[in-house]
Amino acid sequence: MSSIIDVKNLTRRFGEFTAVDNLSFSVEKGEIFAFLGPNGAGKTTTIKMLTTLLKPTSGEIRLDGHDPIHEQNEVRKSFGIIFQDPSLDDELTAYENMEFHGVLYGVEKTVRRARIEEFLKVVELWDRKNDLVKHFSGGMKRRLEIARGLLHHPKILFLDEPTIGLDPQTRNHIWSYVQALNKKEGITVFLTTHYMEEADRMADRVAVIDHGKLIAIGTSAEFKEKTKTSTLEDAFIALTGNTIRAEEVNAQDAMRMHRRAWGGRS
Amino acid sequence: MNVIYILWLRQLKRYTRSKARMIGSLGQPLLFLLALGFGFGPIYEQAGGGDYFQFIAPGIISMGILFTAVFSGIEMIWDRQFGFLKETLVAAVSRTQIMFGRTLGGATVAFIQGLAVLVLAVLFGFRPQSLALLPVAFAAMFLTALLFTAFGTAIASRMEDMQAFPLIMNFVMMPLFFLSGSLFPLQGLPAVMTDIAAINPLSYGVDALRATLVNGSYFGLGIDFLVLSIMTACMIVLGSRLFSKIQL
Ligand SMILES: Nc1ncnc2c1ncn2[C@@H]1O[C@H](COP(=O)(O)OP(=O)(O)OP(=O)(O)O)[C@@H](O)[C@H]1O
Ligand SMILES: [Mg+2]
């Protein structure tokens, strides 16, 4: 098999703080790859660098053979992404958000119309398609984001905590859909999640990072064996320790805001 | 083309859905038009300047365009804060296209706003000198709108939030407006004032409107269009540059 994502010695600093620390790994073509780690581990930052949104401090990236820094357009053609943070236009309707995305990604009109209907039905928003997104509940917005992210079929699909805040039914629905997409069209899936059973069920391979560093990479079975645990969740905790990250992250965020307030660009 | 159209459409939809904004942004031009237009009218006429209301109307139309245009450009900061910007940034579309589509949309909105001020002015007694020149006036209005929307977008590309907005309002937009000859004739002013007006791009928009709507040009209509076109092109290029440098 050949790899479709190659990361070598990837580092990203914000001021003195190192969010991603000398990370190296690769993802095989057609693989479902789970990228796990506690809050603030550097998952989203890594995805931003892979998807041309953020420049690395140092290191090398190849996405489908292209470099996200110098060949942005080629790279952008190869992936689709569902962001962790909201990215909808609240002042547009659900349908308009979908349409906007479809046109922006050059999905041909008949296919676009058909898929918009299909996906809005999958996430049960078809009845609400002409409502402004600002009147949607959090979960409805999330579902719309997912429907929109699946509208075009790229080579690589990045899913940054796609199922956060969704009910179990919808989560199952979405994961089965992603799995089918992976099987049928050979789309490579790069996902992050804090639901370990999702990662266990979905992923061919799992990488765990903490404090920006790669701690372990392998199959879920290998993880359990190595840590002598019976679930991926226990293996994850064994690997990353028991401390809660929110406090550390908050301390860092506070420092960051402090720096900003004093005019430093972080 | 399709991409530019959908970006244009989005700006327009956002604008037409916000009735409060449409009406609200007419308030300031209307106030200036009536208070200054009628307030200074008698003095201006005594001093031999002619009809001040006729004189000031093109200036106030330009003001309406300037403010709406810069606002629509700067609106991009909201996209950044509400997250929608990410959606456009990862699309495999050239940054120039994105910049152009947005700017075209914002400029259309600002142009409509300018038209609305023109209609209001006519309701209060403004009379354009010639209907035949109206299309030329519209062209000048649209160019002005394009120029300042691109300007707003360029600024927004460099800003993370709205905190610097009052700064821009007071140190950029107000001076642009007040030092453009929109409220007073440039003829016979001290050299400092005319020099400042000459490097202020809005002056050429105002001048072009005055040339076409009421017949009285300072720079000459040809120069007006030349400067406006060059400045607009430069601003779109600069805007695209800054836009493509955005990181999240
Ligand atoms: N623009 C920024 N400026 C400064 N620090 C940042 C910035 N973006 C991220 N960080 C910091 O980098 C670290 C990693 O953040 P990141 O968002 O990648 O974490 P994550 O693994 O996605 O966490 P989560 O599971 O909570 O989503 C955090 O400590 C965060 O505060
Ligand atoms: Mg994250």
Side-chain angles (χ1 to χ4, degrees), chain A residues 53-55 76-77 83 86-87 89 91 96 100-101 104-105 148, chain B residues 10 13-14 17 83-84 86-87 89-93 95 247-248:
Chain A
L53 287 175
L54 186 69
K55 288 209 167 60
R76 288 184 185 126
K77 276 185 197 133
F83 297 101
S87 65
D89 187 341
E91 302 286 336
E96 286 166 348
F100 183 90
H101 183 89
L104 209 57
Y105 281 83
R148 190 184 64 180
Chain B
R10 169 177 181 253
K13 279 185 172 159
R14 286 176 66 95
R17 272 174 200 168
F84 184 74
K86 295 194 285 278
E87 156 84 352
L89 285 183
V90 293
V93 175
R95 307 296 97 164
Q247 290 195 44
L248 292 176

PDB file of all heavy atoms in Angstrom, chain A residues 53-55 76-77 83 86-87 89 91 96 100-101 104-105 148, chain B residues 10 13-14 17 83-84 86-87 89-93 95 247-248:
ATOM      1  N   LEU A  53      -4.693  25.675   6.356  1.00  0.00           N
ATOM      2  CA  LEU A  53      -5.208  26.816   7.116  1.00  0.00           C
ATOM      3  C   LEU A  53      -4.149  27.467   7.990  1.00  0.00           C
ATOM      4  O   LEU A  53      -4.298  28.606   8.418  1.00  0.00           O
ATOM      5  CB  LEU A  53      -6.383  26.382   7.993  1.00  0.00           C
ATOM      6  CG  LEU A  53      -7.689  26.101   7.264  1.00  0.00           C
ATOM      7  CD1 LEU A  53      -8.722  25.565   8.227  1.00  0.00           C
ATOM      8  CD2 LEU A  53      -8.202  27.365   6.586  1.00  0.00           C
ATOM      9  N   LEU A  54      -3.090  26.731   8.261  1.00  0.00           N
ATOM     10  CA  LEU A  54      -2.078  27.232   9.188  1.00  0.00           C
ATOM     11  C   LEU A  54      -0.708  26.772   8.692  1.00  0.00           C
ATOM     12  O   LEU A  54      -0.560  25.638   8.229  1.00  0.00           O
ATOM     13  CB  LEU A  54      -2.363  26.647  10.583  1.00  0.00           C
ATOM     14  CG  LEU A  54      -1.533  27.119  11.748  1.00  0.00           C
ATOM     15  CD1 LEU A  54      -1.851  28.561  12.091  1.00  0.00           C
ATOM     16  CD2 LEU A  54      -1.808  26.243  12.981  1.00  0.00           C
ATOM     17  N   LYS A  55       0.282  27.665   8.785  1.00  0.00           N
ATOM     18  CA  LYS A  55       1.624  27.286   8.331  1.00  0.00           C
ATOM     19  C   LYS A  55       2.400  26.649   9.483  1.00  0.00           C
ATOM     20  O   LYS A  55       2.385  27.157  10.586  1.00  0.00           O
ATOM     21  CB  LYS A  55       2.369  28.519   7.832  1.00  0.00           C
ATOM     22  CG  LYS A  55       1.856  29.041   6.520  1.00  0.00           C
ATOM     23  CD  LYS A  55       2.961  29.738   5.736  1.00  0.00           C
ATOM     24  CE  LYS A  55       2.539  29.972   4.309  1.00  0.00           C
ATOM     25  NZ  LYS A  55       1.322  30.812   4.195  1.00  0.00           N
ATOM     26  N   ARG A  76      -5.838  21.508  -1.747  1.00  0.00           N
ATOM     27  CA  ARG A  76      -7.254  21.780  -1.464  1.00  0.00           C
ATOM     28  C   ARG A  76      -8.179  20.941  -2.331  1.00  0.00           C
ATOM     29  O   ARG A  76      -9.304  20.642  -1.935  1.00  0.00           O
ATOM     30  CB  ARG A  76      -7.555  23.273  -1.668  1.00  0.00           C
ATOM     31  CG  ARG A  76      -6.954  24.131  -0.564  1.00  0.00           C
ATOM     32  CD  ARG A  76      -7.342  25.582  -0.727  1.00  0.00           C
ATOM     33  NE  ARG A  76      -6.642  26.390   0.286  1.00  0.00           N
ATOM     34  CZ  ARG A  76      -5.894  27.443   0.011  1.00  0.00           C
ATOM     35  NH1 ARG A  76      -5.761  27.851  -1.241  1.00  0.00           N
ATOM     36  NH2 ARG A  76      -5.283  28.102   0.972  1.00  0.00           N
ATOM     37  N   LYS A  77      -7.706  20.582  -3.521  1.00  0.00           N
ATOM     38  CA  LYS A  77      -8.544  19.746  -4.384  1.00  0.00           C
ATOM     39  C   LYS A  77      -8.693  18.335  -3.837  1.00  0.00           C
ATOM     40  O   LYS A  77      -9.608  17.611  -4.223  1.00  0.00           O
ATOM     41  CB  LYS A  77      -7.932  19.668  -5.788  1.00  0.00           C
ATOM     42  CG  LYS A  77      -8.325  20.851  -6.638  1.00  0.00           C
ATOM     43  CD  LYS A  77      -7.811  20.689  -8.061  1.00  0.00           C
ATOM     44  CE  LYS A  77      -7.853  22.028  -8.760  1.00  0.00           C
ATOM     45  NZ  LYS A  77      -6.603  22.334  -9.484  1.00  0.00           N
ATOM     46  N   PHE A  83     -15.221  20.575  10.227  1.00  0.00           N
ATOM     47  CA  PHE A  83     -14.474  21.250  11.278  1.00  0.00           C
ATOM     48  C   PHE A  83     -15.042  20.941  12.653  1.00  0.00           C
ATOM     49  O   PHE A  83     -16.217  20.649  12.806  1.00  0.00           O
ATOM     50  CB  PHE A  83     -14.521  22.761  11.076  1.00  0.00           C
ATOM     51  CG  PHE A  83     -13.886  23.233   9.807  1.00  0.00           C
ATOM     52  CD1 PHE A  83     -14.665  23.565   8.714  1.00  0.00           C
ATOM     53  CD2 PHE A  83     -12.511  23.354   9.705  1.00  0.00           C
ATOM     54  CE1 PHE A  83     -14.091  24.024   7.536  1.00  0.00           C
ATOM     55  CE2 PHE A  83     -11.930  23.800   8.532  1.00  0.00           C
ATOM     56  CZ  PHE A  83     -12.716  24.135   7.450  1.00  0.00           C
ATOM     57  N   PRO A  86     -17.835  25.626  14.651  1.00  0.00           N
ATOM     58  CA  PRO A  86     -18.875  25.966  13.677  1.00  0.00           C
ATOM     59  C   PRO A  86     -18.299  26.672  12.450  1.00  0.00           C
ATOM     60  O   PRO A  86     -17.346  27.433  12.560  1.00  0.00           O
ATOM     61  CB  PRO A  86     -19.775  26.940  14.441  1.00  0.00           C
ATOM     62  CG  PRO A  86     -19.402  26.844  15.861  1.00  0.00           C
ATOM     63  CD  PRO A  86     -18.076  26.207  15.965  1.00  0.00           C
ATOM     64  N   SER A  87     -18.875  26.401  11.296  1.00  0.00           N
ATOM     65  CA  SER A  87     -18.405  27.065  10.079  1.00  0.00           C
ATOM     66  C   SER A  87     -19.555  27.307   9.100  1.00  0.00           C
ATOM     67  O   SER A  87     -19.346  27.369   7.905  1.00  0.00           O
ATOM     68  CB  SER A  87     -17.315  26.233   9.412  1.00  0.00           C
ATOM     69  OG  SER A  87     -17.845  25.005   8.975  1.00  0.00           O
ATOM     70  N   ASP A  89     -22.928  29.557   7.663  1.00  0.00           N
ATOM     71  CA  ASP A  89     -23.401  30.928   7.595  1.00  0.00           C
ATOM     72  C   ASP A  89     -24.793  30.982   8.209  1.00  0.00           C
ATOM     73  O   ASP A  89     -25.752  30.481   7.638  1.00  0.00           O
ATOM     74  CB  ASP A  89     -23.430  31.423   6.154  1.00  0.00           C
ATOM     75  CG  ASP A  89     -23.762  32.909   6.083  1.00  0.00           C
ATOM     76  OD1 ASP A  89     -24.302  33.448   7.067  1.00  0.00           O
ATOM     77  OD2 ASP A  89     -23.478  33.525   5.040  1.00  0.00           O
ATOM     78  N   GLU A  91     -26.850  33.330   8.542  1.00  0.00           N
ATOM     79  CA  GLU A  91     -27.833  34.182   7.870  1.00  0.00           C
ATOM     80  C   GLU A  91     -28.390  33.538   6.606  1.00  0.00           C
ATOM     81  O   GLU A  91     -29.206  34.130   5.917  1.00  0.00           O
ATOM     82  CB  GLU A  91     -27.205  35.528   7.504  1.00  0.00           C
ATOM     83  CG  GLU A  91     -26.640  36.302   8.673  1.00  0.00           C
ATOM     84  CD  GLU A  91     -27.714  36.928   9.538  1.00  0.00           C
ATOM     85  OE1 GLU A  91     -28.812  37.150   9.038  1.00  0.00           O
ATOM     86  OE2 GLU A  91     -27.434  37.162  10.731  1.00  0.00           O
ATOM     87  N   GLU A  96     -29.345  26.811   1.388  1.00  0.00           N
ATOM     88  CA  GLU A  96     -28.379  27.743   0.799  1.00  0.00           C
ATOM     89  C   GLU A  96     -26.953  27.435   1.225  1.00  0.00           C
ATOM     90  O   GLU A  96     -26.013  27.543   0.436  1.00  0.00           O
ATOM     91  CB  GLU A  96     -28.743  29.181   1.170  1.00  0.00           C
ATOM     92  CG  GLU A  96     -29.951  29.700   0.418  1.00  0.00           C
ATOM     93  CD  GLU A  96     -30.532  30.973   1.003  1.00  0.00           C
ATOM     94  OE1 GLU A  96     -30.147  31.352   2.137  1.00  0.00           O
ATOM     95  OE2 GLU A  96     -31.385  31.568   0.343  1.00  0.00           O
ATOM     96  N   PHE A 100     -24.201  26.613  -1.517  1.00  0.00           N
ATOM     97  CA  PHE A 100     -22.971  27.399  -1.545  1.00  0.00           C
ATOM     98  C   PHE A 100     -21.758  26.470  -1.587  1.00  0.00           C
ATOM     99  O   PHE A 100     -20.854  26.614  -2.407  1.00  0.00           O
ATOM    100  CB  PHE A 100     -22.919  28.282  -0.292  1.00  0.00           C
ATOM    101  CG  PHE A 100     -21.734  29.208  -0.234  1.00  0.00           C
ATOM    102  CD1 PHE A 100     -21.806  30.485  -0.768  1.00  0.00           C
ATOM    103  CD2 PHE A 100     -20.552  28.797   0.368  1.00  0.00           C
ATOM    104  CE1 PHE A 100     -20.715  31.334  -0.716  1.00  0.00           C
ATOM    105  CE2 PHE A 100     -19.456  29.650   0.414  1.00  0.00           C
ATOM    106  CZ  PHE A 100     -19.541  30.911  -0.123  1.00  0.00           C
ATOM    107  N   HIS A 101     -21.776  25.486  -0.713  1.00  0.00           N
ATOM    108  CA  HIS A 101     -20.668  24.546  -0.641  1.00  0.00           C
ATOM    109  C   HIS A 101     -20.521  23.774  -1.954  1.00  0.00           C
ATOM    110  O   HIS A 101     -19.428  23.637  -2.489  1.00  0.00           O
ATOM    111  CB  HIS A 101     -20.899  23.569   0.517  1.00  0.00           C
ATOM    112  CG  HIS A 101     -19.771  22.612   0.722  1.00  0.00           C
ATOM    113  ND1 HIS A 101     -18.710  22.887   1.538  1.00  0.00           N
ATOM    114  CD2 HIS A 101     -19.534  21.392   0.190  1.00  0.00           C
ATOM    115  CE1 HIS A 101     -17.867  21.874   1.513  1.00  0.00           C
ATOM    116  NE2 HIS A 101     -18.345  20.947   0.702  1.00  0.00           N
ATOM    117  N   LEU A 104     -19.106  25.983  -4.631  1.00  0.00           N
ATOM    118  CA  LEU A 104     -17.704  26.295  -4.319  1.00  0.00           C
ATOM    119  C   LEU A 104     -16.803  25.104  -4.643  1.00  0.00           C
ATOM    120  O   LEU A 104     -15.652  25.257  -5.028  1.00  0.00           O
ATOM    121  CB  LEU A 104     -17.605  26.639  -2.829  1.00  0.00           C
ATOM    122  CG  LEU A 104     -16.510  27.604  -2.418  1.00  0.00           C
ATOM    123  CD1 LEU A 104     -16.622  28.914  -3.167  1.00  0.00           C
ATOM    124  CD2 LEU A 104     -16.575  27.853  -0.924  1.00  0.00           C
ATOM    125  N   TYR A 105     -17.316  23.903  -4.480  1.00  0.00           N
ATOM    126  CA  TYR A 105     -16.514  22.716  -4.726  1.00  0.00           C
ATOM    127  C   TYR A 105     -16.769  22.114  -6.100  1.00  0.00           C
ATOM    128  O   TYR A 105     -16.380  20.982  -6.368  1.00  0.00           O
ATOM    129  CB  TYR A 105     -16.745  21.685  -3.620  1.00  0.00           C
ATOM    130  CG  TYR A 105     -15.971  22.033  -2.384  1.00  0.00           C
ATOM    131  CD1 TYR A 105     -16.470  22.951  -1.479  1.00  0.00           C
ATOM    132  CD2 TYR A 105     -14.717  21.495  -2.149  1.00  0.00           C
ATOM    133  CE1 TYR A 105     -15.757  23.325  -0.369  1.00  0.00           C
ATOM    134  CE2 TYR A 105     -13.987  21.857  -1.042  1.00  0.00           C
ATOM    135  CZ  TYR A 105     -14.519  22.772  -0.154  1.00  0.00           C
ATOM    136  OH  TYR A 105     -13.795  23.144   0.940  1.00  0.00           O
ATOM    137  N   ARG A 148     -23.123  18.863   4.895  1.00  0.00           N
ATOM    138  CA  ARG A 148     -22.405  19.709   3.956  1.00  0.00           C
ATOM    139  C   ARG A 148     -21.013  19.141   3.647  1.00  0.00           C
ATOM    140  O   ARG A 148     -20.573  19.146   2.502  1.00  0.00           O
ATOM    141  CB  ARG A 148     -22.263  21.120   4.547  1.00  0.00           C
ATOM    142  CG  ARG A 148     -21.762  22.129   3.567  1.00  0.00           C
ATOM    143  CD  ARG A 148     -21.537  23.471   4.213  1.00  0.00           C
ATOM    144  NE  ARG A 148     -20.487  23.398   5.224  1.00  0.00           N
ATOM    145  CZ  ARG A 148     -20.076  24.422   5.954  1.00  0.00           C
ATOM    146  NH1 ARG A 148     -20.648  25.602   5.799  1.00  0.00           N
ATOM    147  NH2 ARG A 148     -19.123  24.283   6.841  1.00  0.00           N
TER     148      ARG A 148
ATOM    149  N   ARG B  10     -24.430  35.518  -2.057  1.00  0.00           N
ATOM    150  CA  ARG B  10     -24.436  35.424  -0.602  1.00  0.00           C
ATOM    151  C   ARG B  10     -24.430  36.814   0.028  1.00  0.00           C
ATOM    152  O   ARG B  10     -25.213  37.097   0.940  1.00  0.00           O
ATOM    153  CB  ARG B  10     -23.217  34.638  -0.129  1.00  0.00           C
ATOM    154  CG  ARG B  10     -23.030  34.720   1.362  1.00  0.00           C
ATOM    155  CD  ARG B  10     -21.878  33.901   1.892  1.00  0.00           C
ATOM    156  NE  ARG B  10     -21.815  34.058   3.336  1.00  0.00           N
ATOM    157  CZ  ARG B  10     -20.882  34.774   3.955  1.00  0.00           C
ATOM    158  NH1 ARG B  10     -19.918  35.350   3.283  1.00  0.00           N
ATOM    159  NH2 ARG B  10     -20.907  34.894   5.261  1.00  0.00           N
ATOM    160  N   LYS B  13     -27.849  38.382  -0.405  1.00  0.00           N
ATOM    161  CA  LYS B  13     -28.888  37.794   0.441  1.00  0.00           C
ATOM    162  C   LYS B  13     -28.756  38.267   1.871  1.00  0.00           C
ATOM    163  O   LYS B  13     -29.735  38.595   2.531  1.00  0.00           O
ATOM    164  CB  LYS B  13     -28.795  36.266   0.395  1.00  0.00           C
ATOM    165  CG  LYS B  13     -29.444  35.681  -0.835  1.00  0.00           C
ATOM    166  CD  LYS B  13     -29.447  34.184  -0.795  1.00  0.00           C
ATOM    167  CE  LYS B  13     -30.289  33.640  -1.939  1.00  0.00           C
ATOM    168  NZ  LYS B  13     -29.926  32.249  -2.250  1.00  0.00           N
ATOM    169  N   ARG B  14     -27.523  38.281   2.351  1.00  0.00           N
ATOM    170  CA  ARG B  14     -27.311  38.726   3.728  1.00  0.00           C
ATOM    171  C   ARG B  14     -27.813  40.158   3.904  1.00  0.00           C
ATOM    172  O   ARG B  14     -28.363  40.516   4.942  1.00  0.00           O
ATOM    173  CB  ARG B  14     -25.833  38.645   4.089  1.00  0.00           C
ATOM    174  CG  ARG B  14     -25.352  37.233   4.320  1.00  0.00           C
ATOM    175  CD  ARG B  14     -23.862  37.219   4.565  1.00  0.00           C
ATOM    176  NE  ARG B  14     -23.507  37.880   5.813  1.00  0.00           N
ATOM    177  CZ  ARG B  14     -23.328  37.255   6.952  1.00  0.00           C
ATOM    178  NH1 ARG B  14     -23.438  35.946   7.008  1.00  0.00           N
ATOM    179  NH2 ARG B  14     -23.009  37.901   8.033  1.00  0.00           N
ATOM    180  N   ARG B  17     -31.735  40.520   3.664  1.00  0.00           N
ATOM    181  CA  ARG B  17     -32.441  39.915   4.792  1.00  0.00           C
ATOM    182  C   ARG B  17     -32.404  40.778   6.026  1.00  0.00           C
ATOM    183  O   ARG B  17     -33.095  40.534   6.999  1.00  0.00           O
ATOM    184  CB  ARG B  17     -31.805  38.560   5.114  1.00  0.00           C
ATOM    185  CG  ARG B  17     -32.465  37.520   4.283  1.00  0.00           C
ATOM    186  CD  ARG B  17     -31.861  36.191   4.375  1.00  0.00           C
ATOM    187  NE  ARG B  17     -32.292  35.472   3.194  1.00  0.00           N
ATOM    188  CZ  ARG B  17     -31.805  34.337   2.798  1.00  0.00           C
ATOM    189  NH1 ARG B  17     -30.852  33.768   3.485  1.00  0.00           N
ATOM    190  NH2 ARG B  17     -32.248  33.763   1.723  1.00  0.00           N
ATOM    191  N   GLY B  83     -16.783  31.675  12.125  1.00  0.00           N
ATOM    192  CA  GLY B  83     -16.198  30.443  11.605  1.00  0.00           C
ATOM    193  C   GLY B  83     -16.428  30.174  10.134  1.00  0.00           C
ATOM    194  O   GLY B  83     -15.793  29.291   9.578  1.00  0.00           O
ATOM    195  N   PHE B  84     -17.320  30.949   9.511  1.00  0.00           N
ATOM    196  CA  PHE B  84     -17.642  30.649   8.119  1.00  0.00           C
ATOM    197  C   PHE B  84     -16.440  30.842   7.195  1.00  0.00           C
ATOM    198  O   PHE B  84     -16.344  30.192   6.145  1.00  0.00           O
ATOM    199  CB  PHE B  84     -18.802  31.539   7.650  1.00  0.00           C
ATOM    200  CG  PHE B  84     -19.263  31.236   6.265  1.00  0.00           C
ATOM    201  CD1 PHE B  84     -20.008  30.097   6.013  1.00  0.00           C
ATOM    202  CD2 PHE B  84     -18.924  32.056   5.197  1.00  0.00           C
ATOM    203  CE1 PHE B  84     -20.423  29.790   4.736  1.00  0.00           C
ATOM    204  CE2 PHE B  84     -19.336  31.760   3.918  1.00  0.00           C
ATOM    205  CZ  PHE B  84     -20.084  30.622   3.683  1.00  0.00           C
ATOM    206  N   LYS B  86     -13.501  29.761   7.371  1.00  0.00           N
ATOM    207  CA  LYS B  86     -12.805  28.485   7.153  1.00  0.00           C
ATOM    208  C   LYS B  86     -13.344  27.774   5.924  1.00  0.00           C
ATOM    209  O   LYS B  86     -12.594  27.211   5.140  1.00  0.00           O
ATOM    210  CB  LYS B  86     -13.012  27.545   8.347  1.00  0.00           C
ATOM    211  CG  LYS B  86     -12.405  28.004   9.639  1.00  0.00           C
ATOM    212  CD  LYS B  86     -12.383  26.850  10.648  1.00  0.00           C
ATOM    213  CE  LYS B  86     -13.732  26.544  11.230  1.00  0.00           C
ATOM    214  NZ  LYS B  86     -14.171  27.391  12.343  1.00  0.00           N
ATOM    215  N   GLU B  87     -14.680  27.801   5.830  1.00  0.00           N
ATOM    216  CA  GLU B  87     -15.354  27.113   4.735  1.00  0.00           C
ATOM    217  C   GLU B  87     -14.868  27.627   3.378  1.00  0.00           C
ATOM    218  O   GLU B  87     -14.633  26.849   2.463  1.00  0.00           O
ATOM    219  CB  GLU B  87     -16.870  27.289   4.907  1.00  0.00           C
ATOM    220  CG  GLU B  87     -17.705  27.166   3.659  1.00  0.00           C
ATOM    221  CD  GLU B  87     -18.049  25.733   3.302  1.00  0.00           C
ATOM    222  OE1 GLU B  87     -17.509  24.827   3.954  1.00  0.00           O
ATOM    223  OE2 GLU B  87     -18.837  25.527   2.368  1.00  0.00           O
ATOM    224  N   LEU B  89     -11.999  29.302   2.947  1.00  0.00           N
ATOM    225  CA  LEU B  89     -10.534  29.233   2.858  1.00  0.00           C
ATOM    226  C   LEU B  89     -10.022  27.875   2.382  1.00  0.00           C
ATOM    227  O   LEU B  89      -8.984  27.796   1.745  1.00  0.00           O
ATOM    228  CB  LEU B  89      -9.891  29.569   4.209  1.00  0.00           C
ATOM    229  CG  LEU B  89      -9.890  31.046   4.583  1.00  0.00           C
ATOM    230  CD1 LEU B  89      -9.174  31.245   5.904  1.00  0.00           C
ATOM    231  CD2 LEU B  89      -9.244  31.888   3.497  1.00  0.00           C
ATOM    232  N   VAL B  90     -10.722  26.806   2.704  1.00  0.00           N
ATOM    233  CA  VAL B  90     -10.211  25.486   2.298  1.00  0.00           C
ATOM    234  C   VAL B  90     -10.704  25.073   0.910  1.00  0.00           C
ATOM    235  O   VAL B  90     -10.323  24.035   0.409  1.00  0.00           O
ATOM    236  CB  VAL B  90     -10.571  24.366   3.299  1.00  0.00           C
ATOM    237  CG1 VAL B  90      -9.852  24.560   4.608  1.00  0.00           C
ATOM    238  CG2 VAL B  90     -12.060  24.265   3.506  1.00  0.00           C
ATOM    239  N   ALA B  91     -11.550  25.899   0.296  1.00  0.00           N
ATOM    240  CA  ALA B  91     -12.058  25.544  -1.030  1.00  0.00           C
ATOM    241  C   ALA B  91     -10.954  25.662  -2.072  1.00  0.00           C
ATOM    242  O   ALA B  91     -10.109  26.548  -1.994  1.00  0.00           O
ATOM    243  CB  ALA B  91     -13.222  26.455  -1.403  1.00  0.00           C
ATOM    244  N   ALA B  92     -10.989  24.746  -3.024  1.00  0.00           N
ATOM    245  CA  ALA B  92      -9.964  24.745  -4.068  1.00  0.00           C
ATOM    246  C   ALA B  92     -10.314  25.770  -5.142  1.00  0.00           C
ATOM    247  O   ALA B  92     -10.548  25.437  -6.292  1.00  0.00           O
ATOM    248  CB  ALA B  92      -9.826  23.362  -4.681  1.00  0.00           C
ATOM    249  N   VAL B  93     -10.371  27.011  -4.719  1.00  0.00           N
ATOM    250  CA  VAL B  93     -10.735  28.101  -5.614  1.00  0.00           C
ATOM    251  C   VAL B  93      -9.678  29.169  -5.396  1.00  0.00           C
ATOM    252  O   VAL B  93      -9.225  29.350  -4.275  1.00  0.00           O
ATOM    253  CB  VAL B  93     -12.119  28.659  -5.209  1.00  0.00           C
ATOM    254  CG1 VAL B  93     -12.465  29.857  -6.040  1.00  0.00           C
ATOM    255  CG2 VAL B  93     -13.183  27.597  -5.320  1.00  0.00           C
ATOM    256  N   ARG B  95      -7.757  32.437  -4.558  1.00  0.00           N
ATOM    257  CA  ARG B  95      -8.087  33.488  -3.581  1.00  0.00           C
ATOM    258  C   ARG B  95      -8.603  34.734  -4.295  1.00  0.00           C
ATOM    259  O   ARG B  95      -9.440  35.457  -3.778  1.00  0.00           O
ATOM    260  CB  ARG B  95      -6.855  33.857  -2.742  1.00  0.00           C
ATOM    261  CG  ARG B  95      -6.158  32.686  -2.059  1.00  0.00           C
ATOM    262  CD  ARG B  95      -7.013  32.011  -1.041  1.00  0.00           C
ATOM    263  NE  ARG B  95      -7.665  30.835  -1.574  1.00  0.00           N
ATOM    264  CZ  ARG B  95      -8.220  29.900  -0.839  1.00  0.00           C
ATOM    265  NH1 ARG B  95      -8.176  29.980   0.456  1.00  0.00           N
ATOM    266  NH2 ARG B  95      -8.821  28.880  -1.399  1.00  0.00           N
ATOM    267  N   GLN B 247      -4.297  33.261   8.026  1.00  0.00           N
ATOM    268  CA  GLN B 247      -4.154  31.967   8.688  1.00  0.00           C
ATOM    269  C   GLN B 247      -5.124  31.918   9.848  1.00  0.00           C
ATOM    270  O   GLN B 247      -5.445  32.936  10.436  1.00  0.00           O
ATOM    271  CB  GLN B 247      -2.729  31.786   9.224  1.00  0.00           C
ATOM    272  CG  GLN B 247      -1.711  31.610   8.140  1.00  0.00           C
ATOM    273  CD  GLN B 247      -0.401  31.086   8.693  1.00  0.00           C
ATOM    274  OE1 GLN B 247      -0.376  30.186   9.514  1.00  0.00           O
ATOM    275  NE2 GLN B 247       0.685  31.664   8.248  1.00  0.00           N
ATOM    276  N   LEU B 248      -5.554  30.697  10.172  1.00  0.00           N
ATOM    277  CA  LEU B 248      -6.506  30.594  11.275  1.00  0.00           C
ATOM    278  C   LEU B 248      -5.895  29.862  12.466  1.00  0.00           C
ATOM    279  O   LEU B 248      -4.969  29.112  12.322  1.00  0.00           O
ATOM    280  CB  LEU B 248      -7.757  29.866  10.830  1.00  0.00           C
ATOM    281  CG  LEU B 248      -8.619  30.632   9.813  1.00  0.00           C
ATOM    282  CD1 LEU B 248      -9.776  29.795   9.379  1.00  0.00           C
ATOM    283  CD2 LEU B 248      -9.112  31.940  10.414  1.00  0.00           C
TER     284      LEU B 248
END
